[in-house]
Amino acid sequence: MSDEALPLSEEERAELEALRAERDARRQAAREREELEALRAQGGRPAARRPVASGASRRAEAAEDARIREARERGARLMEPDEDLRMPVGQKVVLGVLVALVVLVVAFSLLIQ
């Protein structure tokens, strides 16, 4: 009979179970990491448990959340196309700066020759 046909000893079985548990823990951690990245990509954040805050700190958090929301909306208006898929202002500015840089490089290269 070969070694492969023999049943596992208790020590080998314990080692196998430990390795399986470790593998499962790594897979679970990877799944959670992927879920976190997906939620971050969606712009949402998973709800975290926060300690109960006082009224003043709640107002401060609400004000900070509103400020962040407004900044994101401003950024979206600048960089994301509207319903008609027109080029947003932010992209026009970036393209204008790039064109100006190309013109400057070409002009300097012509002047140096």
Side-chain angles (χ1 to χ4, degrees):
M1 226 173 171
S2 70
D3 289 337
E4 295 174 23
L6 295 176
L8 295 176
S9 68
E10 291 301 317
E11 184 178 305
E12 290 172 325
R13 188 170 304 284
E15 180 183 3
L16 176 63
E17 292 300 321
L19 291 172
R20 283 180 179 164
E22 183 179 332
R23 180 193 62 201
D24 292 343
R26 276 185 289 185
R27 285 182 179 171
Q28 178 66 25
R31 279 193 299 269
E32 290 173 352
R33 200 172 303 114
E34 289 173 3
E35 182 181 4
L36 176 62
E37 292 300 321
L39 288 172
R40 283 182 180 164
Q42 291 175 358
R45 299 182 77 172
R49 291 183 174 233
R50 297 181 186 168
V52 177
S54 67
S57 63
R58 286 186 199 154
R59 284 190 295 273
E61 287 179 13
E64 180 69 14
D65 288 344
R67 186 189 64 76
I68 292 170
R69 193 175 321 108
E70 289 172 7
R72 284 186 179 164
E73 288 172 3
R74 250 191 333 271
R77 280 194 304 270
L78 281 175
M79 296 306 288
E80 293 179 5
D82 59 5
E83 290 82 25
D84 296 333
L85 297 178
R86 283 182 272 188
M87 187 179 296
V89 175
Q91 287 181 353
K92 290 178 184 177
V93 169
V94 169
L95 289 175
V97 169
L98 288 175
V99 168
L101 287 174
V102 168
V103 168
L104 286 173
V105 168
V106 169
F108 281 127
S109 68
L110 292 176
L111 289 174
I112 291 175
Q113 290 181 3

